[in-house]
Amino acid sequence: MTERETALGDLIIADQETLFQHLADQMGKVAEKAEDRCVIGLTGGSTPKKHYQWMVANGKLPEAAQQKAYWTTSDERMVPLSSDDSNFGNADRMLLQPLGIAEERKFPWPVEVDAHSAALLHNRKWAERFGAQRCFDLCVLGMGDDGHTASLFPGSPLLGAGVMDFFACVEVPGKGWRLTVTEAGLDASRAITIIVTGGNKAERIKTVFNQPAGTYPVQILENYAPRVTWLVDEEAAALIQ
Ligand code: 6PG
């Protein structure tokens, strides 16, 4: 394992199991530190599925997180929770249910309404339940091979728009409506961890860490670098070692 400071945050390069253990440890630490509440926003896509399977198979969720954390996702697709494309639905089926997390600790996006209403509702319910001052205690993100993160895609109207809400909806060309954490939500999060695995991300990881900020959406993490941890496996880090 190697670890170094970068402009985009603390970069940890290791094998997948070491990365998964680090993320599990982080979940425990944020829960232990939490005085009033602990909300963990899991990432979407396919990367977390391997992490969920590993956590459940090895019983790796720390007790503090098991007892104290509330669970949601950092972005969501406008599909039913029952869909295989649902970020929260997958997290619930693959991690939360197998670990016996109580229903009242789950905080899915309200995808049963239209995207604009869902964003409004999520912001309102968040403020009522967790307060309007702090977003995630731990925000977990992924990175697409186009350099997007959460549902902040290249050319997104949300980027640099000064949106004050923690969460917003956005129509993504070719992908339909999405719900996502905003830059304001990231700025109000206590810790941000982005996990990137697989050789198909190697080229993008190289350009993200070497091209000027503002080229890719994921580079917005530079604005929160002291609170950001990159967990990158050896395949995805092959061109920046
Ligand atoms: C989503 C995600 C998205 C994801 C990246 C990486 O809803 O798709 O939140 O930002 O993290 O696209 O996805 P993979 O892990 O599938 O490569």
Side-chain angles (χ1 to χ4, degrees), residues 1 3 10 12 18-40 55 60-69 71 134 137-139 190-191 193 229 231:
M1 177 181 115
E3 183 169 3
D10 184 32
I12 294 174
T18 301
L19 300 182
F20 291 168
Q21 184 62 57
H22 187 96
L23 183 48
D25 293 346
Q26 260 197 319
M27 291 177 177
K29 284 185 190 125
V30 294
E32 283 157 10
K33 277 196 305 192
E35 324 83 34
D36 49 352
R37 52 75 155 178
C38 173
V39 188
I40 296 175
M55 293 264 285
K60 288 286 187 176
L61 184 66
E63 188 59 24
Q66 177 91 32
Q67 296 305 321
K68 293 173 68 178
W71 301 89
R134 189 162 83 233
D137 294 275
L138 175 61
C139 178
R190 273 192 169 162
T193 293
T229 303
L231 302 178

Side-chain angles (χ1 to χ4, degrees), residues 43-47 75 77 87 142-144 148-150 178 201:
T43 186
S46 56
T47 299
D75 77 327
R77 293 85 176 277
N87 291 337
M143 185 195 76
H148 82 262
T149 192
R178 292 285 189 96
K201 303 284 175 73

Side-chain angles (χ1 to χ4, degrees), residues 184-207:
L186 293 171
D187 193 42
S189 293
R190 273 192 169 162
I192 299 168
T193 293
I194 178 165
I195 181 164
V196 185
T197 62
N200 63 312
K201 303 284 175 73
E203 183 57 37
R204 188 58 61 238
I205 284 288
K206 182 183 80 172
T207 52

Side-chain angles (χ1 to χ4, degrees), residues 109 115 118-120 122-123 151 158 163 165-170 178-182:
W109 298 73
L120 277 171
H122 203 60
N123 280 301
S151 285
L158 293 175
V163 172
D165 291 330
F166 289 168
F167 309 109
C169 66
V170 60
R178 292 285 189 96
L179 299 163
T180 185
V181 64
T182 62

